[in-house]
Each structure stands twice: as structure tokens, then as C-alpha cells.
Amino acid sequence: MKLLQERIRREGIVRSHDVLIVSHFLNHQLDPQLFLAMAKEWQKRFKGKRIDKIMTIEASGIALAVVAGLVMEVPVVFAKKRGSVTLDDDQYCATVYSYTQKKSYAIRVEKDLLKPGEHLLIIDDFLANGQAVLGLAEIARQAECVLEGVGIAIEKGYQPGAALLRERGLDVQSLAVIRSMDPQSGAIEFDEAEAV
Ligand code: 5GP
């Protein structure tokens, strides 16, 4: 998606080979107009699929998912990362390993919020090693929901996540796919096949 690529080029900061900072429009300050354009693009790409609910993970996925939910007219559920006072029996739970933080954390969704047979679309800001999406997919599996696809804002295509998810048969639609990043020059190369 050209619009997103341009924003990444203009305002993205290459912190390291693996870490892109997009605090000016996606992760800290948020650009609702850009989010709306992105949500419409996901709607186009998942057209024809039954989507009953969008699922994401706190915190960065929430804003994107809400705009997507508004456009697709479906509710949004987000997995919580923190522990909860509610009993574990009432929650679906999965473990996510974060390569950037080098630690695992639990994600939880109240069982009440996902009904067996519901068709879900996962939305998230970044796809790197695929662990966050796999955790959400595990929750969808426990809830006996049908996972229709995965909408990602920025995929770092040189990291293994996208291939891992596609190997599992998931329909992954990333709006910008980065082929390489150079922390020295700040240069970012995109996979132009995604630049609609
Ligand atoms: P994965 O589970 O695919 O390895 O990583 C996905 C999660 O890690 C995303 O939800 C995102 O919050 C975070 N993440 C991964 N790579 C980046 C990055 O380059 N920049 C930022 N800001 N977050 C990232």
C-alpha cells in the first residue's frame, strides 16, 4: 500500500536491522485517516470472506483493529497481556515468545467473548517472527472459531513470521512488506509486489 510505504519512508526510524520505530503515525501518535485507508484496504483484500469479529492483541493492535471493525461493521476483541483477577477457567490462554524482549508472556481472552463457529480476522501492527499471531491463532483454536485471515500493517518480510503463518494455511495480507532495513543509512527497501 503506497500510502503506508510513503509514511514509513518519511517518518519511520530504523533502530536496528530488526526494529523499526513508527511512533509518529502507528505506535504512539496515531493517524486516524491513514488507519481508515488501511482498514478499507483490508476490507478489499478480505472481501467475500465471512468475518464475524476482529481479534487483536494489546496495545498497538487495538487502534488499527477498532478502525477495521468500524469499516467492516464487526466487534473487536483484544487479547490482554497482563494477568487478570478472573479465574483462568473463564479465559482462553496462550503463551507468546517475544524475540525483541527475549521473554515469554501470557495472553488471555475471556471465554465469553468468542463463540464456537465464529469467523475471525486477526489484525496487528507488525509481523516479525509470527509469535503474536500464532498466540492469537491458538486462542481461536481453543475457542473453536474459524480463522479467516490475518491483516498486518507492516511485515518485515526477511523475518520468518509470514512464511510460518502461510505454511499453516493462513491468509496473511500485509499492507507494507519490508525487504530490508539498514540502520546505518536508515534506508528501507520494500517488496513492491504489495505496493497497490
Ligand atoms: P512477532 O510476534 O511477529 O515476532 O512480533 C510481532 C509483535 O512484535 C508486534 O505485535 C509488535 O508489537 C512487535 N514488533 C515486532 N517487530 C517490530 C518492529 O520492528 N517495530 C515495532 N515497533 N514493533 C515490532
Side-chain angles (χ1 to χ4, degrees):
M1 188 185 175
K2 281 256 185 278
L3 197 63
L4 180 59
Q5 279 193 5
E6 280 163 21
R7 287 301 285 276
I8 296 168
R9 259 194 232 288
R10 214 165 58 222
E11 296 176 40
I13 298 163
V14 182
R15 178 60 50 84
S16 69
H17 174 69
D18 284 346
V19 179
L20 177 69
I21 305 296
V22 285
S23 301
H24 285 78
F25 59 95
L26 196 69
N27 280 162
H28 199 356
Q29 177 168 257
L30 311 173
D31 182 342
Q33 292 299 332
L34 176 65
F35 284 19
L36 184 60
M38 290 164 69
K40 286 179 177 169
E41 180 62 26
W42 279 316
Q43 183 185 41
K44 208 160 73 187
R45 294 193 189 195
F46 292 109
K47 197 171 175 212
K49 294 202 167 189
R50 174 180 150 194
I51 292 163
D52 301 317
K53 204 166 270 183
I54 289 174
M55 181 161 62
T56 189
I57 185 165
E58 70 174 355
S60 311
I62 297 175
L64 282 170
V66 167
V67 180
L70 192 65
V71 166
M72 298 183 201
E73 298 181 19
V74 294
V76 175
V77 171
F78 67 90
K80 295 193 174 193
K81 284 181 182 168
R82 288 181 294 275
S84 161
V85 288
T86 327
L87 289 173
D88 272 356
D89 278 359
D90 300 331
Q91 305 187 339
Y92 298 115
C93 191
T95 305
V96 173
Y97 181 75
S98 165
Y99 282 88
T100 33
Q101 295 171 37
K102 305 218 171 3
K103 63 171 191 195
S104 295
Y105 57 91
I107 57 170
R108 302 153 195 279
V109 173
E110 280 183 30
K111 286 187 177 173
D112 243 15
L113 301 176
L114 297 173
K115 304 271 181 278
E118 274 184 330
H119 290 227
L120 305 181
L121 172 65
I122 290 176
I123 294 283
D124 204 8
D125 59 344
F126 274 93
L127 177 58
N129 292 284
Q131 300 304 300
V133 171
L134 284 178
L136 292 171
E138 168 57 17
I139 283 179
R141 190 196 63 77
Q142 290 172 22
E144 297 175 42
C145 291
V146 179
L147 194 46
E148 287 288 355
V150 181
I152 297 292
I154 306 173
E155 172 187 323
K156 287 174 290 171
Y158 55 91
Q159 292 186 278
L164 198 70
L165 301 182
R166 289 192 177 113
E167 265 166 31
R168 291 176 183 230
L170 292 173
D171 178 6
V172 181
Q173 295 291 334
S174 306
L175 302 185
V177 178
I178 295 176
R179 204 190 303 157
S180 66
M181 303 195 297
D182 180 0
Q184 242 72 52
S185 65
I188 301 169
E189 295 282 327
F190 291 96
D191 184 343
E192 293 301 331
E194 299 293 327
V196 289

